[in-house]
Amino acid sequence: MTEVEKLPKGYTTEELLREYFLRAGFFVLRGAKLRYNQAELTDVDLWLYERSATLARRRTIIDIKDKQRPQASERLFFAKGVAEIIGVEGSGVATSDRNPQLRELARKNKVLWIDGEDLQRLKSSEKLMQGSRLTEEGFLKLVDAVDKARGGKTLRNLLDQSKSAVVDRFGAASANLAIDCFQTCSDACAKSHPKGDAAKVLTRISFLAAALAAAALDFASADAALRPIGERRKHMANCIRFGENMERTMDRLAWAEHALRDYLPNGAALAQTVRAGFEHDLKQVPADDLAEVIVKMSNSDALFSVARTLEYAAYRSDPVSFDSLPVDAKSFVGALLDFAGVDRKHFAAAMPLGEWAANPMDARATDEEIELVESDRQRRLDV
């Protein structure tokens, strides 16, 4: 992990565990903030997403405390509580504490427990410490440098909002925020000086936003996985157009129509105008072609794999170009570019063509390293 030795101890452990879970086959997000009405409540150290079958999806949050006094029991209750509040399927704690009684308590409460002995074993793995990735801090440093040069915090805010939405609105809602981030950054990238620092960073952010969108749309696709293909296309197109529950949006529109009819002169005509304008704007959203790509990829684990590939491309130490992406990842990013109205050639020209390095995340960790995750999966079946 690039620059990991320069980080504080806690951040180093977070990067180590991110690498571990990536190698175990998860999609991993580090340092997302849980917000309520724009107020930051807490950080989620690691957010994990796994897809084990056509209908099987699972989200897990991991709280990490690698310090002399980790307050392990409190972290167990905290992680379990946050998981229940935001509605994810699992929680876990990584702690330097070695108390075996806490491991038993975690097992009874279905909490993944990574204690001091486990951490020490992972820290001694040369394989986990030899990644070719930017750390989260290194990635954000690049983003902040471009923002500073542009005199604002637009990119950082877009990125933070997209990551935050994953924590408590994962699915269609978070996908739309990620697509908005992708649209802004890919457009700016296409207009940047080719091969410049800004173009490289904007390409990275575009890939990460695309990865967040792919993972969220894969999760949203599960609701319609067994329906006929036409219904699945319609379902995904509605996810893209509405960003959340379509029925809820239409209920809000109906409420607005009733309010116009009841409280304004000529309200019936105004209500009809509002609905017609709303429906017209919806038809202008080019969601059908993107939905077609999503449905084809979500038939298998291709969309999930694309999310992992693009996450790797965003954080890889050596910048990755659009033209060097593997076929599925390039197809998905291309569909997003078309949806966003960004010219593919201009976006590709921002970064020189380079060779795609084999993704080390495609290789599973060793049997010893994978033991923690496999024991957690078995515990879910046993308890």
Side-chain angles (χ1 to χ4, degrees):
M1 288 168 286
T2 305
E3 300 179 355
V4 82
E5 69 278 359
K6 301 178 183 178
L7 296 176
K9 180 181 178 182
Y11 294 165
T12 300
T13 303
E14 290 180 19
E15 285 293 330
L16 175 72
L17 286 168
R18 171 155 72 170
E19 184 88 359
Y20 165 71
F21 282 110
L22 284 168
R23 290 180 181 273
F26 292 80
F27 179 84
V28 185
L29 187 64
R30 182 186 158 217
K33 300 181 185 299
L34 176 60
R35 294 174 174 174
Y36 182 75
N37 288 339
Q38 302 304 314
E40 293 183 5
L41 303 181
T42 187
D43 289 345
V44 175
D45 294 331
L46 291 184
W47 181 93
L48 316 177
Y49 174 54
E50 61 178 312
R51 186 192 201 274
S52 56
T54 301
L55 296 178
R57 311 285 198 278
R58 183 177 173 85
R59 298 158 295 172
T60 303
I61 59 169
I62 306 293
D63 185 74
I64 302 171
K65 286 294 177 289
D66 187 6
K67 54 176 62 176
Q68 190 170 4
R69 297 180 180 178
Q71 298 178 316
S73 58
E74 287 87 345
R75 305 318 299 179
L76 190 157
F77 302 138
F78 173 80
K80 182 73 173 178
V82 171
E84 291 180 358
I85 288 172
I86 64 178
V88 299
E89 292 75 25
S91 60
V93 174
T95 175
S96 51
D97 195 295
R98 299 172 184 251
N99 186 342
Q101 294 181 353
L102 290 178
R103 180 183 287 277
E104 177 64 18
L105 180 62
R107 187 193 69 79
K108 290 182 178 179
N109 287 277
K110 302 180 183 179
V111 175
L112 173 64
W113 193 253
I114 303 173
D115 67 9
E117 293 184 4
D118 297 324
L119 284 180
Q120 189 57 45
R121 177 156 48 91
L122 294 179
K123 289 177 181 178
S124 65
S125 170
E126 293 184 3
K127 187 176 182 180
L128 290 179
M129 297 300 291
Q130 291 179 349
S132 57
R133 296 169 53 93
L134 294 174
T135 64
E136 190 68 24
E137 288 71 23
F139 184 92
L140 294 178
K141 184 178 180 180
L142 294 176
V143 174
D144 290 342
V146 175
D147 264 341
K148 184 178 180 180
R150 292 173 173 237
K153 294 185 178 180
T154 301
L155 299 180
R156 182 64 177 271
N157 288 338
L158 279 172
L159 191 57
D160 286 348
Q161 289 170 8
S162 299
K163 291 170 62 177
S164 178
V166 169
V167 176
D168 64 343
R169 286 169 285 162
F170 188 58
S174 68
N176 272 33
L177 279 174
I179 291 173
D180 286 345
C181 178
F182 175 88
Q183 184 169 14
T184 299
C185 295
S186 61
D187 181 64
C189 180
K191 296 174 181 177
S192 297
H193 187 278
K195 304 181 183 180
D197 290 341
K200 294 177 182 178
V201 174
L202 287 164
T203 300
R204 288 185 186 276
I205 303 174
S206 298
F207 286 161
L208 181 56
L212 296 177
L217 291 168
D218 177 74
F219 182 77
S221 71
D223 291 339
L226 300 181
R227 298 180 193 173
I229 190 167
E231 290 187 26
R232 282 189 281 148
R233 289 196 197 101
K234 183 178 179 180
H235 170 74
M236 295 313 303
N238 284 336
C239 286
I240 296 165
R241 287 192 173 102
F242 292 94
E244 55 179 340
N245 186 282
M246 183 183 70
E247 288 74 17
R248 185 183 305 171
T249 302
M250 299 310 293
D251 286 344
R252 291 172 179 171
L253 177 61
W255 182 91
E257 288 183 85
H258 286 307
L260 289 172
R261 289 192 181 97
D262 292 343
Y263 298 110
L264 291 178
N266 198 29
L270 288 172
Q272 186 175 357
T273 300
V274 169
R275 174 170 282 276
F278 183 80
E279 291 176 348
H280 175 269
D281 288 345
L282 278 180
K283 290 178 181 179
Q284 304 310 305
V285 178
D288 294 326
D289 290 342
L290 180 56
E292 179 74 24
V293 173
I294 294 166
V295 168
K296 287 181 179 179
M297 289 188 172
S298 61
N299 286 334
S300 61
D301 65 350
L303 196 56
F304 176 76
S305 296
V306 162
R308 281 172 35 84
T309 297
L310 290 173
E311 190 274 348
Y312 167 68
Y315 283 93
R316 185 184 163 197
S317 299
D318 296 328
V320 174
S321 68
F322 170 67
D323 285 330
S324 65
L325 290 173
V327 174
D328 281 350
K330 187 176 181 180
S331 296
F332 181 74
V333 174
L336 286 181
L337 289 170
D338 295 343
F339 176 81
V342 177
D343 187 274
R344 295 190 185 197
K345 291 182 179 179
H346 290 166
F347 179 77
M351 283 282 294
L353 178 63
E355 294 183 2
W356 172 258
N359 185 346
M361 301 304 115
D362 289 339
R364 289 174 63 85
T366 63
D367 291 340
E368 182 179 350
E369 290 167 350
I370 210 72
E371 180 182 345
L372 294 175
V373 173
E374 295 300 342
S375 63
D376 175 54
R377 290 194 177 108
Q378 187 60 46
R379 183 166 63 248
R380 292 182 225 145
L381 299 176
D382 294 341
V383 178

